Amino acid sequence: MAESNSTDFDLLWYLENLSDKEFQSFKKYLARKILDFKLPQVPLINLRATKEELANLLPISYEGQYIWNMLYSIFLMMRKEEHCMKIIGRRRRNQEACKALMRRKVTLRWENHTFGEFHYKFFCNVASDVFYVLQLAYDSTSCYSANDLNVFLIGDRASGKTMTINLAVMKWISGEMWQNMISYVVHLTSHEINQMTNSSLAELIAKDWPDGQAPIADILSDPKKLLFILEDVDNLRFELNVNEHALCSNSTQKVPIPILLVSLLKRQMAPGCWFLISSRPTREENIKMFLKTTDCYVTLQFSNEKRELYFHSFFNDHQRASTALMLVHDNEILTSLCRVANLCWITCTVLNRQMDKGHDPQHCCETPTDLHAHFLADALTSEARLTANQYHLGLLKRLCLLAAGGLFLSTLNFSGEDLRCVGFTEADVSVLQAVNILLPSSTHKDRYKFIHLNVQEFCAAIAFLMAVPNCLIPSGSREYKEKREQYCDFNRVFTFIFGLLNENRRKILETTFGCQLPMVESFRRYSVEYMKHLGRDQEKLTHHGSLFYCLFENQEEEFVKKVVNPLKEVTVYLQSNKDMMVSLYCLEYCCHLRTFKLSVQRIFEYKEPLVRPTASQMKSLVYWREICSLFCTMDTLWELHLFDSDLNDISERILSKALEHSSCKLRTLKLSYISTASGFEELLKALARNQSVIYLSLNCTSISLNMFSLLREILDKPTCQISHLRLVFCCLTEKCCSSLGRVLLLSPTLKQLDLCVNHLQNYGVLHVTFPLIFPTCQLEELYLSGCFFTNDICQYIAIVIATNETLRSLEIGSNSIEDAGMQLLCGGLRHPDCMLVNIGLEECMLTGACCESLASVLTTNKTLERLNILQNQLGDEGIVKLLESLILPDCVLQIIGLPLNNVSAETLRMVMTVKERKPDLVFLSETWSVKEGREIGVIPASQPGSVIPNSNLDYMFFKFPRMSTAMRMSNTASRQRL
């Protein structure tokens, strides 16, 4: 990139102002400086080079910053003060030019946030602690600073990241911050970077300078005084996992943008420079790979204290501020809403206007639907007009059309063409800007966006119920969409739709604009009928959090009852007080609930005893106590599945009290991936006093010997009713098995025991299986897959198979049984007293050598209906032997798992022959596709597991005639993802 045309950068001028003697000295100094700066030698630079030759040669041999740094150092040694002062003066002018440039850019961006002088002053005050951190971080003399420092500014949407950066830059420009620390600021946004493909560092720096002419040499002359601001790194369209060998150190070389950014972040370029990086919270590698332990990580969030300060600053009236705060604090939904500055402003604005009208905000502003409806109604009718109703209704319809079109086509920043497409005039846009509904985009030049995504989503919900026509806005047809514009989660839109089904909330809009929402009754009827349909197919209801939020937003008692009435099984993920409050509201209406699946994450993470719990922590415990009380008050609730949860000592004690209560009628208790303060001891003690639990599962939990001792005491009690016990992946060892064997020997109730994936080994398995040869053992199902035993123990298992009259199912897959062990097991299976119906032997290192014995089992055993030998290397010959027995009429097997993935065509034809002879016989195979399987009657042995959803309303797939194709496609894609 060329330097400024000023003579300040005319190298020949500096050389010509040297005498011949001085010029010869200059060249000698230059040769030494080239070595000092560790630059490559250029043979043509010698004592015979003229001033003009040297002036032409240096720029093509070295980068500008090295040239001028060498020149300044040489002139200093030569005591050429006028030359040094000229360079210093030039650098100062360029620093001031950079500040002027940034002042213009920041001022333009600052105008995007026009919520009044109060908002600006408030943000300056509350951001002072962030500025203090930024001041210390970039002070090289501070103990908080570090080499190659990156400061990460992390915050959710509209949390104030851009405003904080703007304020920091303005403070730098005015000399209030980073004085004598930062000389130049290079500001980059993800939107700007996403438009680039290849660039040099010089071009990147010069992008904001007039005509792209930037003083690159001066800017890069001292990288320790250069700050790069990189905004919205989570929105970059590419990954930054660049190979180290591809990095570049030449500031003038054009390279792909990812290489350029990584070279900067790794300090291959501009070594010693500083970075200020903003991002939304994300798990993306773009953040993690550059976050060092010495870096500074600042989280922006609207704390309770800041929210209170904001309310008092906004209202400037203690009584009004206190009334508004009380309303927000008593409602977790509104509390969460007011963690964002823009939404906090909307909330205060609405509450203030309602108080001005003499209304009680407690009754008219209970939900976000209330707030947004009042906000739109007041804002759009703030200017009186002759044809007010018609004009305002038209304005609302166009606004909703823009909102819905933007969400359906992943567009959150609208061009002037988009606005004209939906019918907005310049006067309309001015009105919407004046009332802060539409604002100029802070990231996209000459574009507009809604004040917050929530407002756009609320307008889209109105569009749906208003049945506005579909509109393909021009920006929606762009092939490339930035990450932040890609919209596929319509949860909040549906939540607002349900909120508008409430007559009182709907009237806020209908009365103000003189309109009706014609789709309301259709949506209401469809919702009820759809839930009845889903109630008959529980598998479609993967979780209920989003549905519960919709119903909480609605809060019409009769409607809520009708929707949740079919629910017999509910799954919720609790991650905040808000989740607990909403779930409690809906669960109280679930009159037929039998199974409750519950995950509690991040709510009770604090493990140490609380000296003085915060208000939020106290609320958490109150909500948790109410949820646990449901286990005692809901007569229909029989099953509790608590999974993937963290409980501290208090929350565990509350749960234990509920489980041991005499009114608790739970029959099934499943606990998996649970972390508790006491290691389950409190819960196990509670179970010792519970006489209703029949099915107990403690999967994926590390069970200590002390805990196992407590569990054994429970099982030994005469009042114990547990018939099914699952301890899968519980870190059990052979030390636990002797006491467990005693339980098996004497328990009159235990029918099923699952110990899969535990390190029992031969000794432990012997202790577990030995009691089964006695008639007092009533066990019917035993699961020992993945318990690390070998064929040495198979003779004892064979005795159990041959003599036990109650055992019906035995799973011993994923163990080293091998052919020798299989021979022993076949002896037991052929015994006339064998009563087994099912045996699992998948992945047991079997080969074709055992197939002859196994084939004889298939023709002699008259009880075995299911056999699984998948994931064994049986070969064609071994499988054929089994098929020859399967086809015989003496074989009573109904389901068999055979490894058919690598067999010959001839063997497959034989499988088809068996299927023709025995059409009811089912084959399982682990690798066959459904289509291939159907051709020969083979079905997959297992289906892929579904991922845990994160508040998606994917099952709410409403098909209304006026619903746009884009919404249907979005919801279909979401469902396929799960």
Side-chain angles (χ1 to χ4, degrees):
M1 182 62 59
E3 304 288 359
S4 170
N5 291 326
S6 168
T7 57
D8 288 345
F9 280 99
D10 187 349
L11 179 58
L12 182 58
W13 183 90
Y14 283 89
L15 299 180
E16 286 181 339
N17 277 272
L18 297 175
S19 65
D20 292 341
K21 184 178 180 181
E22 289 173 333
F23 181 59
Q24 295 303 319
S25 299
F26 174 86
K27 287 190 286 185
K28 292 178 181 179
Y29 282 127
L30 179 62
R32 286 162 47 188
K33 284 297 172 185
I34 290 173
L35 292 174
D36 292 344
F37 278 69
K38 298 180 181 179
L39 297 175
Q41 295 290 318
V42 178
L44 294 178
I45 297 179
N46 52 51
L47 294 176
R48 290 190 296 274
T50 65
K51 295 177 181 179
E52 187 173 351
E53 288 173 341
L54 192 59
N56 292 330
L57 184 60
L58 284 175
I60 63 175
S61 303
Y62 306 112
E63 295 179 51
Q65 64 271 23
Y66 298 122
I67 296 173
W68 289 102
N69 281 346
M70 288 192 295
L71 258 62
Y72 181 80
S73 181
I74 292 170
F75 291 150
L76 204 60
M77 289 188 293
M78 293 176 64
R79 299 184 179 179
K80 299 292 292 181
E81 293 181 3
E82 70 278 12
H83 286 50
C84 291
M85 292 305 297
K86 184 174 178 62
I87 294 174
I88 291 172
R90 182 193 75 202
R91 288 177 173 175
R92 287 176 178 169
R93 287 193 298 274
N94 286 332
Q95 290 169 14
E96 291 303 314
C98 180
K99 288 185 176 182
L101 185 74
M102 293 306 298
R103 182 183 290 109
R104 288 194 298 273
K105 184 171 184 178
V106 169
T107 301
L108 288 173
R109 284 155 52 87
W110 184 256
E111 291 174 352
N112 298 342
H113 302 276
T114 54
F115 300 129
E117 187 67 20
F118 124 83
H119 193 83
Y120 169 78
K121 288 182 178 178
F122 169 81
F123 219 94
C124 288
N125 290 333
V126 300
S128 58
D129 53 346
V130 179
F131 299 143
Y132 180 71
V133 172
L134 294 179
Q135 174 73 7
L136 290 179
Y138 298 122
D139 183 354
S140 57
T141 64
S142 167
C143 61
Y144 298 100
S145 187
N147 292 330
D148 299 338
L149 181 75
N150 300 321
V151 176
F152 289 89
L153 200 61
I154 308 298
D156 288 312
R157 180 192 303 273
S159 61
K161 299 183 294 296
T162 297
M163 190 177 288
T164 300
I165 289 173
N166 290 346
L167 284 170
V169 172
M170 291 298 288
K171 283 180 173 292
W172 167 68
I173 292 170
S174 63
E176 297 178 53
M177 193 161 71
W178 301 333
Q179 197 169 12
N180 300 322
M181 301 177 196
I182 304 295
S183 298
Y184 296 95
V185 170
V186 178
H187 182 270
L188 308 166
T189 67
S190 63
H191 178 68
E192 293 170 330
I193 295 171
N194 286 338
Q195 313 304 312
M196 305 176 187
T197 52
N198 298 314
S199 176
S200 66
L201 176 58
E203 290 173 329
L204 195 69
I205 292 172
K207 66 178 181 60
D208 290 327
W209 288 74
D211 301 322
Q213 299 296 312
I216 302 299
D218 286 351
I219 292 174
L220 295 178
S221 64
D222 187 3
K224 292 182 179 179
K225 291 193 174 184
L226 172 60
L227 173 64
F228 286 95
I229 297 176
L230 178 54
E231 282 200 61
D232 310 328
V233 71
D234 60 292
N235 190 43
L236 293 178
R237 65 183 173 87
F238 43 75
E239 301 300 324
L240 297 180
N241 51 344
V242 175
N243 192 303
E244 293 280 345
H245 299 295
L247 300 184
C248 175
S249 59
N250 188 339
S251 63
T252 62
Q253 181 180 343
K254 270 196 171 187
V255 292
I257 284 294
I259 293 177
L260 178 59
L261 284 181
V262 176
S263 298
L264 270 173
L265 288 164
K266 294 280 189 180
R267 281 27 178 221
Q268 290 283 89
M269 290 180 177
C273 68
W274 311 95
F275 261 93
L276 175 57
I277 302 170
S278 74
S279 172
R280 292 178 187 170
T282 177
R283 296 180 181 179
E284 290 189 7
E285 292 299 321
N286 281 355
I287 292 289
K288 291 194 294 185
M289 69 174 62
F290 297 108
L291 182 59
K292 307 186 297 294
T293 54
T294 55
D295 285 339
C296 185
Y297 193 91
V298 181
T299 301
L300 292 181
Q301 55 184 350
F302 228 43
S303 64
N304 293 339
E305 294 76 14
K306 288 181 181 178
R307 182 171 60 249
E308 289 184 14
L309 178 60
Y310 189 96
F311 272 61
H312 283 287
S313 301
F314 181 95
F315 288 99
N316 201 23
D317 180 303
H318 180 76
Q319 183 60 41
R320 284 198 170 195
S322 299
T323 301
L325 279 169
M326 187 179 300
L327 169 65
V328 171
H329 287 169
D330 290 343
N331 188 318
E332 296 292 343
I333 303 286
L334 300 187
T335 300
S336 176
L337 204 69
C338 289
R339 289 197 176 99
V340 176
N342 290 10
L343 295 179
C344 201
W345 178 84
I346 290 176
T347 303
C348 289
T349 300
V350 169
L351 294 177
N352 195 42
R353 286 173 181 168
Q354 294 307 304
M355 292 179 194
D356 286 342
K357 295 175 183 179
H359 297 162
D360 182 2
Q362 290 286 135
H363 295 101
C364 60
C365 297
E366 296 177 326
T367 69
T369 300
D370 291 326
L371 286 172
H372 288 87
H374 281 302
F375 174 67
L376 281 183
D378 291 339
L380 293 180
T381 59
S382 58
E383 294 184 9
R385 293 174 181 265
L386 294 176
T387 56
N389 281 347
Q390 281 300 99
Y391 172 77
H392 295 142
L393 179 58
L395 201 61
L396 176 66
K397 285 184 176 179
R398 294 192 289 275
L399 190 66
C400 295
L401 190 61
L402 180 72
L407 295 185
F408 295 151
L409 299 174
S410 291
T411 302
L412 306 182
N413 294 275
F414 303 98
S415 66
E417 188 181 4
D418 298 332
L419 301 179
R420 290 189 293 273
C421 178
V422 299
F424 280 132
T425 64
E426 289 186 10
D428 294 335
V429 176
S430 297
V431 169
L432 295 173
Q433 276 192 265
V435 295
N436 288 331
I437 292 178
L438 285 185
L439 302 175
S441 171
S442 61
T443 54
H444 294 65
K445 189 177 180 181
D446 299 326
R447 287 182 177 264
Y448 295 84
K449 65 178 181 180
F450 283 80
I451 180 176
H452 193 274
L453 180 60
N454 279 20
V455 177
Q456 184 174 351
E457 291 166 329
F458 181 72
C459 290
I462 299 173
F464 183 82
L465 293 177
M466 198 180 280
V468 298
N470 295 332
C471 179
L472 299 176
I473 59 174
S475 292
S477 61
R478 288 177 295 139
E479 290 186 9
Y480 166 69
K481 297 290 177 64
E482 292 184 340
K483 287 182 181 179
R484 288 191 176 180
E485 291 224 53
Q486 293 170 359
Y487 188 88
C488 60
D489 181 2
F490 282 83
N491 285 344
R492 277 195 295 266
V493 176
F494 277 114
T495 302
F496 284 132
I497 289 174
F498 272 81
L500 290 170
L501 296 185
N502 182 298
E503 184 178 0
N504 293 331
R505 298 187 172 94
R506 192 166 66 252
K507 277 185 177 179
I508 299 170
L509 297 174
E510 293 181 339
T511 303
T512 303
F513 297 101
C515 68
Q516 297 294 316
L517 303 180
M519 295 297 292
V520 167
E521 289 307 317
S522 299
F523 193 95
R524 185 191 298 271
R525 287 195 302 271
Y526 186 85
S527 301
V528 175
E529 292 302 316
Y530 190 74
M531 288 306 298
K532 286 180 181 177
H533 168 71
L534 289 181
R536 295 188 291 269
D537 188 357
Q538 295 294 331
E539 291 184 2
K540 290 185 179 179
L541 292 170
T542 56
H543 82 125
H544 301 76
S546 296
L547 173 64
F548 283 1
Y549 269 91
C550 290
L551 296 176
F552 186 84
E553 194 76 18
N554 178 268
Q555 292 195 19
E556 280 188 352
E557 186 173 341
E558 290 305 314
F559 176 68
V560 173
K561 283 181 180 178
K562 288 180 181 178
V563 173
V564 301
N565 190 60
L567 294 179
K568 294 182 180 180
E569 179 179 307
V570 163
T571 302
V572 293
Y573 299 84
L574 304 179
Q575 298 182 343
S576 64
N577 288 352
K578 180 174 62 172
D579 293 339
M580 290 200 283
M581 179 186 73
V582 168
S583 298
L584 267 171
Y585 171 81
C586 295
L587 286 168
E588 290 175 354
Y589 292 107
C590 296
C591 300
H592 301 97
L593 184 64
R594 291 177 62 90
T595 302
F596 186 25
K597 298 180 179 179
L598 175 64
S599 173
V600 186
Q601 303 168 2
R602 299 200 296 270
I603 297 178
F604 304 114
E605 286 182 330
Y606 50 96
K607 299 299 181 185
E608 297 299 324
L610 298 174
V611 178
R612 182 178 293 177
T614 64
S616 177
Q617 290 167 342
M618 288 297 294
K619 277 187 178 181
S620 300
L621 294 172
V622 171
Y623 288 135
W624 178 242
R625 184 174 284 106
E626 291 183 25
I627 288 175
C628 291
S629 69
L630 295 175
F631 310 149
C632 304
T633 58
M634 298 185 73
D635 295 334
T636 60
L637 185 59
W638 287 359
E639 296 187 29
L640 171 62
H641 302 187
L642 184 63
F643 62 96
D644 195 15
S645 299
D646 292 297
L647 301 178
N648 66 351
D649 55 348
I650 303 176
S651 54
E652 183 188 6
R653 200 176 306 129
I654 291 172
L655 175 60
S656 300
K657 290 288 185 184
L659 293 178
E660 70 182 19
H661 197 277
S662 58
S663 300
C664 179
K665 304 301 181 185
L666 289 175
R667 299 182 183 181
T668 296
L669 180 61
K670 296 182 180 180
L671 307 174
S672 57
Y673 290 103
I674 310 296
S675 172
T676 66
S678 70
F680 277 97
E681 289 187 19
E682 288 291 331
L683 290 176
L684 290 176
K685 289 176 182 177
L687 285 175
R689 292 183 280 272
N690 183 298
Q691 298 181 22
S692 63
V693 172
I694 297 172
Y695 186 114
L696 177 61
S697 173
L698 301 176
N699 294 346
C700 306
T701 304
S702 180
I703 297 181
S704 65
L705 286 174
N706 189 36
M707 288 172 58
F708 195 82
S709 178
L710 283 172
L711 181 60
R712 189 203 64 204
E713 289 178 16
I714 295 171
L715 296 170
D716 278 343
K717 283 181 177 292
T719 56
C720 177
Q721 301 297 315
I722 295 175
S723 62
H724 292 67
L725 179 61
R726 299 192 71 219
L727 301 172
V728 176
F729 196 24
C730 288
C731 303
L732 300 180
T733 65
E734 57 188 21
K735 294 180 181 179
C736 306
C737 294
S738 57
S739 55
L740 189 56
R742 181 179 178 277
V743 171
L744 291 174
L745 189 63
L746 302 177
S747 174
T749 59
L750 196 60
K751 304 296 182 184
Q752 182 194 80
L753 177 63
D754 189 344
L755 300 174
C756 291
V757 199
N758 284 291
H759 202 253
L760 305 186
Q761 299 180 290
N762 289 354
Y763 183 78
V765 171
L766 178 62
H767 273 284
V768 171
T769 54
F770 180 73
L772 273 69
I773 65 175
F774 295 94
T776 54
C777 178
Q778 300 299 307
L779 203 67
E780 296 176 0
E781 299 178 31
L782 178 61
Y783 301 92
L784 296 171
S785 297
C787 286
F788 300 90
F789 65 86
T790 67
N791 51 29
D792 293 338
I793 206 72
C794 288
Q795 57 181 323
Y796 302 104
I797 298 177
I799 294 173
V800 170
I801 292 173
T803 58
N804 189 291
E805 296 181 357
T806 60
L807 191 64
R808 295 292 180 269
S809 181
L810 179 63
E811 293 284 345
I812 51 176
S814 301
N815 290 294
S816 302
I817 291 176
E818 301 177 320
D819 293 333
M822 192 66 235
Q823 298 285 356
L824 296 170
L825 295 177
C826 286
L829 290 168
R830 284 194 297 266
H831 197 279
D833 292 335
C834 174
M835 294 288 110
L836 272 187
V837 174
N838 167 71
I839 186 166
L841 295 158
E842 72 281 1
E843 200 179 18
C844 286
M845 302 182 186
L846 307 181
T847 71
C850 70
C851 288
E852 188 170 347
S853 293
L854 192 53
S856 67
V857 169
L858 299 181
T859 55
T860 57
N861 188 297
K862 301 306 178 186
T863 62
L864 196 63
E865 297 176 356
R866 297 185 297 276
L867 170 66
N868 184 0
I869 47 176
L870 290 170
Q871 300 182 54
N872 288 291
Q873 303 298 320
L874 305 183
D876 282 280
E877 186 178 347
I879 290 175
V880 167
K881 288 178 182 177
L882 296 177
L883 293 173
E884 288 173 347
S885 293
L886 285 170
I887 205 169
L888 296 175
D890 292 339
C891 179
V892 298
L893 208 66
Q894 297 175 8
I895 300 174
I896 183 168
L898 276 180
L900 299 174
N901 48 312
N902 290 316
V903 298
S904 65
E906 185 177 348
T907 303
L908 289 179
R909 283 193 291 271
M910 190 168 182
V911 172
M912 296 177 69
T913 302
V914 174
K915 281 295 297 177
E916 289 172 1
R917 297 276 188 88
K918 289 190 171 182
D920 294 333
L921 179 62
V922 176
F923 284 86
L924 302 178
S925 179
E926 70 269 15
T927 58
W928 285 69
S929 69
V930 174
K931 180 180 178 182
E932 292 169 326
R934 282 175 182 162
E935 291 176 357
I936 61 167
V938 179
I939 63 173
S942 61
Q943 299 297 329
S946 62
V947 298
I948 293 177
N950 184 13
S951 62
N952 285 305
L953 196 61
D954 298 321
Y955 53 82
M956 299 299 289
F957 184 44
F958 301 103
K959 297 182 180 179
F960 281 94
R962 300 302 293 270
M963 175 182 267
S964 75
T965 303
M967 178 178 271
R968 291 200 297 270
M969 291 173 62
S970 171
N971 281 274
T972 302
S974 297
R975 290 191 297 126
Q976 289 173 346
R977 223 176 28 250
L978 292 181

